[in-house]
Amino acid sequence: GPAFAETSGAGFVEGSSAGRYDGSLFTAGGSVDSSAEVKGVQFAAGSDVQVQGSCEYLMAAGNQLVFSGDAENDAFAAGNNVYIFGSVGRDLFAAGSTVEIRGSVERSAYIAAGSVVIDGSIGGDLYLSADKVVISDSAKIDGTVKYETYVRKRKIQKRVHILPFEA
């Protein structure tokens, strides 16, 4: 079959990655786009990072980071602008100037950011350290929202209409 359909061991790829990896995968470059299926850690780093494949664990960093894939366990995401559209099977740890969660997190989310938008589902608690927090009407948080004391309650906006992200 074609090379992209074969399973590889662990790997290092520059730029775009696809296929199946029975081991961890490190995808790096200025522009990174991974649609790989990774039976291990998907580690992606670059200026513009898009991860849309599946992995056991996600570790990703970029100036702009878009995760629209499926992380079976924990996800660690950092960047200037971090967008979580995909699903995280356990806990999410995210840091950035802007962090938006529009996908699903099965357990808890730990977020440190200047601006946070929650318009997805969080199965556990939401831990926030942020200057500005927007929780949409359609957001679903099964646990408790906990935030750093320096974030004033008046800065948490409820009942705000959030437009969908446009690429």
Side-chain angles (χ1 to χ4, degrees):
F4 63 84
E6 294 175 6
T7 300
S8 304
F12 175 83
V13 178
E14 187 174 343
S16 296
S17 58
R20 289 192 281 275
Y21 291 82
D22 187 15
S24 296
L25 174 65
F26 182 18
T27 308
S31 182
V32 170
D33 188 353
S34 176
S35 59
E37 294 175 38
V38 182
K39 292 294 179 201
V41 177
Q42 163 72 276
F43 183 58
S47 177
D48 184 15
V49 177
Q50 293 192 54
V51 177
Q52 47 203 0
S54 62
C55 55
E56 289 182 358
Y57 292 89
L58 174 73
M59 298 180 78
N63 179 44
Q64 172 149 306
L65 169 60
V66 178
F67 175 63
S68 57
D70 178 36
E72 188 180 323
N73 296 305
D74 299 330
F76 300 84
N80 186 29
N81 299 304
V82 177
Y83 304 98
I84 306 295
F85 296 112
S87 62
V88 177
R90 287 201 316 213
D91 298 317
L92 169 69
F93 302 84
S97 176
T98 300
V99 174
E100 297 189 8
I101 298 178
R102 298 180 186 273
S104 64
V105 178
E106 290 300 315
R107 293 201 317 204
S108 296
Y110 303 82
I111 302 171
S115 172
V116 175
V117 174
I118 307 295
D119 189 30
S121 65
I122 297 170
D125 296 332
L126 172 60
Y127 297 87
L128 293 170
S129 175
D131 295 327
K132 181 181 179 189
V133 178
V134 176
I135 299 175
S136 78
D137 272 346
S138 59
K140 183 174 179 284
I141 302 167
D142 292 341
T144 306
V145 177
K146 303 174 182 183
Y147 55 90
E148 293 293 325
T149 52
Y150 73 83
V151 178
R152 294 175 184 85
K153 285 185 182 179
R154 64 181 169 80
K155 286 194 177 180
I156 294 186
Q157 305 172 16
K158 300 230 182 206
R159 310 233 184 278
V160 173
H161 179 68
I162 297 173
L163 298 174
F165 174 78
E166 308 245 47

